[in-house]
Amino acid sequence: VYKRQAVVRAAGEAGERGGGFLGFLDFLDALADRVVLGVAALCAVLDPGCVVLGGETGRAGGAALAERVERRLARMSPLRTEVRATAVAGSAVLSGAVLTAMDAAHEELFSSGR
């Protein structure tokens, strides 16, 4: 288990038990306050319709983190942007890049009429 994912999960478990120095919801609020700064900067430049919180932190924070980031982003930007947590384990961006490269190579090598 990755360190960041373990921290988010541990906070969630502590919050469910009522223990820890911060409850899980307080932890997610603090994390969302930090994540939204990066998301807002990307949205200002790229204007995406949807942002996916990837990696171990996005997966561990799940829908609860995504909802908090989306609410904060709505207060910072006039542009409507949906925020979702990833459902894909592993390195989704790298996997997508490899698949795209393989498709392009396949098209180049096996397309008829070229």
Side-chain angles (χ1 to χ4, degrees):
V1 176
Y2 297 106
K3 289 181 182 181
R4 283 177 276 178
Q5 187 176 12
V7 168
V8 175
R9 284 192 180 154
E13 291 168 4
E16 291 168 5
R17 291 190 310 266
F21 66 93
L22 283 177
F24 183 54
L25 299 180
D26 292 335
F27 177 82
L28 283 180
D29 286 336
L31 183 58
D33 287 341
R34 287 161 179 76
V35 170
V36 75
L37 297 175
V39 172
L42 290 173
C43 288
V45 175
L46 301 176
D47 187 20
C50 180
V51 172
V52 178
L53 302 178
E56 64 261 17
T57 304
R59 234 180 358 268
L65 177 60
E67 290 169 12
R68 283 167 170 73
V69 172
E70 186 172 340
R71 281 196 309 265
R72 285 161 174 76
L73 184 60
R75 291 192 305 252
M76 297 174 77
S77 171
L79 305 172
R80 170 81 170 102
T81 304
E82 182 180 1
V83 179
R84 295 183 182 182
T86 187
V88 179
S91 181
V93 173
L94 179 59
S95 297
V98 169
L99 289 173
T100 300
M102 288 174 52
D103 286 345
H106 184 270
E107 181 68 27
E108 182 69 28
L109 290 173
F110 298 108
S111 65
S112 61
R114 286 191 181 181

